[in-house]
Amino acid sequence: MAYEKVWANNEKLNKNEINKLKKDGLSIFDDIPKYAKEGFASIPKDQYMYFKYAGLTVQKPQDKGLFMLRVKVPTGIMNNNQAVVLSEIGNAFGRGFLDLTTRQAIQYHWVPLEKLPEVFDRLHAVGLTTSEAEGDAPRNIVGNPLAGIDADELFDTRPVVKDLFDFFQDNPDYSNLPRKYKISVNTNIYNAGHAQINDLAFIPATKVIDGQLVKGFHVLVGGGLAAKPYLARQLNVFVRPQEVVKIAAAVTNLYRDYGYRKSRARARLKYLIADWGIETFEKKVLEQTGPFETTGHDEFKGWNAGFFYGVHPQKQKGFSYVGVSVPVGRIAANDFYAFAQLAKTYGSGELRTANSQNLIIPNIPDNQVESLLANVIFKRFPIRPSHFIGYAVACTGNEFCNLALTNTKDRMREIAEFLDREIDIDVPVRIHMVGCTNSCAQRQIAEIGLQGLKLRTKDKKLIDAYELFVGGTLEGEGKFNERLKGRIPNDLLPDVLKDFLIYFRDNKELGESFYAF
Ligand code: SF4
């Protein structure tokens, strides 16, 4: 397709766009074996951007030949072979640990270039991929980590996620979008898929059609975070599960063909929809698909922020799932392996990841739960964590991320543990820390958001500091948190938060949450 026709909105393409026209991002997989043999110095710098399509980012310092590597785990569900291989890769190539991301994916650091072909082989052998885990393409599909076992789901979304994954994954029609593209599919009535912050989200809905109650989805479009966050808007359609791919393709076609490619800062779908208006966007979707049923009844009952701690009955009688806290989503590969072994011994072998960066062990017979929980690993990874560390979320930060202005994972953990020691409180407080405006740890939806920056002091020193945001939620239509005036130097941050949270505790009603305060 000639880009003049396809990229209808643009007079001038940005540098990335011009490079993407010279070469399809997915072709980097053909080049990696050669680079792996010839060494990092053989990679021209202008090729770095294509590695994103293989789920890879050149890690800083950029001359060491090490990569951050992300593996897709659609809707956070992995079987036992996959979980074991993921732990083995962490030990063999990721210096012994892995991170659980806010999109239910798995992320490694320090992966050496020469080992990438072997990593890909090991992942492919168990049906996993890194392809399009980054890059201007459909990213990991998020959703309900309890799909298929959830007493609070309208229906099992695993087949829909598979249909979407099969349609979009490595599809050359969608490997050159204007920017990253995020899809959520969820029918948990507590919005486990964080619908409103995705480019395209399918949420639980019902409608009486011809006298029959039909279960399906409503559709949200144009959500996203980063420097200018938008909550997704609803299309006036009701979609049956078998119609999801059709409407997803139509939405994505519009984004591909009309999304902005001049400025990367304005390239997400949210900007196109903001400019066109939701009615025009919807009209252009329906021009492609033909008519749909109009909206029915929204089945959301609230928002659980992606937390599933504790032991809960599944919809399968006699079975439970167990939600486990993984502080700020970082876990040793050996511990991950231990959980995979426990899942195999006591459950079906599956492990699941939540977008709160935590783990779920499903399918435990009720009479086995006590034996499972007697394992010593639950002392370090509790199922009922404290109210700060259990609800702290952090992005990668300056240890590995090229864009980070401050540390996040270690700092968030230290601060949350400090708050747990200092403050006895009756409700959890969700604190998210990010190292820049990109907001990979979803700062905007936190009750307390902390965003790292550099601050110049009076004596001209450059120090780490954080801005503080309050009151984010995806309850109801959702509301992003708001920035408080001022910047807090890194060394003062724990005490400022302590004072702030003690004031909250001492002035709130029993059971009142921070965002409702
Ligand atoms: Fe890096 Fe910024 Fe994303 Fe954190 S939010 S991982 S610092 S890009």
Side-chain angles (χ1 to χ4, degrees):
M1 283 182 284
Y3 76 79
E4 291 83 356
K5 176 171 176 281
V6 175
W7 313 153
N9 258 342
N10 297 280
E11 292 163 17
K12 193 174 171 219
L13 300 176
N14 68 50
K15 206 169 137 209
N16 277 54
E17 289 301 326
I18 292 165
N19 287 335
K20 287 191 291 178
L21 288 172
K22 288 183 196 156
K23 168 175 170 167
D24 187 278
L26 292 174
S27 68
I28 193 67
F29 281 106
D30 301 332
D31 303 335
I32 286 175
K34 180 172 81 78
Y35 292 139
K37 272 200 195 108
E38 295 176 1
F40 190 72
S42 71
I43 308 173
K45 278 212 162 101
D46 66 0
Q47 296 297 295
Y48 287 6
M49 63 169 271
Y50 299 110
F51 278 78
K52 298 250 176 204
Y53 285 84
L56 294 158
T57 301
V58 178
Q59 194 177 299
K60 65 177 189 182
Q62 290 205 336
D63 58 349
K64 299 285 183 237
L66 299 172
F67 289 84
M68 186 282 283
L69 179 144
R70 189 178 295 155
V71 182
K72 281 182 165 177
V73 184
T75 207
I77 301 176
M78 66 199 100
N79 64 34
N80 197 256
N81 288 339
Q82 291 171 335
V84 168
V85 165
L86 288 167
S87 69
E88 287 171 353
I89 288 173
N91 268 330
F93 310 116
R95 299 194 189 174
F97 76 86
L98 45 90
D99 287 340
L100 315 181
T101 79
T102 51
R103 288 194 70 77
Q104 299 174 285
I106 300 291
Q107 198 160 288
Y108 302 94
H109 307 281
W110 297 296
V111 181
L113 170 66
E114 64 272 20
K115 299 295 182 191
L116 291 178
E118 186 181 341
V119 172
F120 294 149
D121 286 347
R122 287 168 80 160
L123 289 170
H124 292 164
V126 291
L128 289 170
T129 184
T130 64
S131 184
E132 298 175 327
E134 294 189 68
D136 298 343
R139 300 289 186 87
N140 192 42
I141 298 171
V142 296
N144 184 7
L146 302 177
I149 63 170
D150 187 1
D152 289 323
E153 72 182 350
L154 193 61
F155 55 89
D156 182 358
T157 42
R158 288 175 296 181
V160 176
V161 170
K162 184 175 183 317
D163 287 350
L164 280 171
F165 180 85
D166 291 347
F167 178 75
F168 282 113
Q169 185 63 36
D170 298 333
N171 182 338
D173 286 345
Y174 300 104
S175 64
N176 182 358
L177 299 176
R179 273 292 256 123
K180 57 190 166 187
Y181 187 62
K182 299 182 173 182
I183 302 175
S184 167
V185 180
N186 161 61
T187 65
N188 172 284
I189 57 174
Y190 298 106
N191 193 5
H194 292 184
Q196 304 98 312
I197 58 171
N198 284 269
D199 294 283
L200 170 62
F202 293 90
I203 64 173
T206 51
K207 185 163 187 179
V208 176
I209 302 171
D210 299 331
Q212 299 281 331
L213 184 75
V214 180
K215 294 177 179 177
F217 296 101
H218 285 159
V219 181
L220 307 185
V221 290
L225 298 178
K228 203 166 174 202
Y230 283 76
L231 291 163
R233 308 277 308 276
Q234 188 166 348
L235 299 179
N236 184 17
V237 293
F238 174 83
V239 177
R240 294 172 174 86
Q242 64 273 22
E243 297 169 324
V244 162
V245 169
K246 187 177 174 188
I247 202 151
V251 169
T252 315
N253 291 344
L254 289 177
Y255 178 47
R256 178 194 61 201
D257 296 350
Y258 295 93
Y260 302 128
R261 293 174 186 260
K262 185 174 174 183
S263 154
R264 282 184 72 74
R266 270 182 51 81
R268 292 286 298 275
L269 177 62
K270 59 191 179 183
Y271 294 103
L272 179 67
I273 293 175
D275 288 351
W276 278 8
I278 193 71
E279 295 80 11
T280 302
F281 190 83
E282 182 183 301
K283 191 167 146 263
K284 287 179 181 287
V285 169
L286 297 179
E287 277 170 12
Q288 296 174 73
T289 60
F292 270 86
E293 295 284 344
T294 55
T295 49
H297 180 69
D298 195 335
E299 295 291 342
F300 272 161
K301 301 272 185 294
W303 183 51
N304 68 3
F307 293 101
F308 298 94
Y309 292 140
V311 180
H312 304 273
Q314 294 184 188
K315 69 177 172 190
Q316 293 85 4
K317 202 165 179 298
F319 288 86
S320 292
Y321 69 87
V322 177
V324 183
S325 168
V326 178
V328 295
R330 178 155 291 173
I331 183 167
N334 285 340
D335 289 328
F336 196 79
Y337 180 78
F339 277 118
Q341 291 304 103
L342 289 176
K344 194 172 179 181
T345 306
Y346 294 94
S348 58
E350 274 186 7
L351 281 180
R352 300 188 177 200
T353 53
N355 50 14
S356 56
Q357 302 181 311
N358 294 300
L359 273 179
I360 294 162
I361 313 174
N363 301 319
I364 311 294
D366 290 344
N367 61 10
Q368 294 289 302
V369 169
E370 209 179 311
S371 311
L372 168 70
L373 295 180
N375 283 277
V376 68
I377 198 166
F378 291 101
K379 287 202 170 12
R380 286 182 296 122
F381 298 92
I383 65 162
R384 290 280 175 213
S386 305
H387 282 155
F388 293 105
I389 190 61
Y391 297 82
V393 177
C395 74
T396 301
N398 68 1
E399 271 175 289
F400 309 109
C401 174
N402 298 323
L403 303 173
L405 299 168
T406 60
N407 185 289
T408 54
K409 283 248 188 254
D410 293 338
R411 195 60 179 139
M412 183 69 260
R413 185 171 185 151
E414 283 164 10
I415 290 171
E417 288 173 345
F418 166 79
L419 295 172
D420 277 322
R421 284 194 301 275
E422 297 288 321
I423 306 175
D424 188 17
I425 194 165
D426 66 322
V427 290
V429 181
R430 296 180 296 103
I431 306 180
H432 294 210
M433 183 181 274
V434 293
C436 79
T437 55
N438 280 334
S439 213
C440 300
Q442 304 168 338
R443 183 271 293 160
Q444 289 88 344
I445 64 171
E447 288 176 302
I448 295 181
L450 299 167
Q451 187 168 299
L453 50 85
K454 293 289 182 205
L455 186 65
R456 196 164 293 281
T457 60
K458 280 187 188 144
D459 53 356
K460 306 269 186 270
K461 274 196 201 130
L462 208 56
I463 60 163
D464 286 2
Y466 295 84
E467 286 181 319
L468 197 147
F469 300 75
V470 294
T473 181
L474 290 180
E475 187 83 40
E477 288 184 355
K479 175 183 164 297
F480 293 135
N481 51 24
E482 291 172 45
R483 190 168 76 87
L484 297 187
K485 229 173 161 182
R487 295 158 174 196
I488 308 164
N490 179 37
D491 57 342
L492 299 182
L493 187 58
D495 285 326
V496 169
L497 286 170
K498 179 182 161 187
D499 291 348
F500 194 68
L501 286 158
I502 284 176
Y503 178 86
F504 161 63
R505 181 196 62 190
D506 293 347
N507 289 279
K508 75 186 197 66
E509 304 289 334
L510 194 68
E512 190 177 17
S513 70
F514 188 88
Y515 84 81
F517 180 58

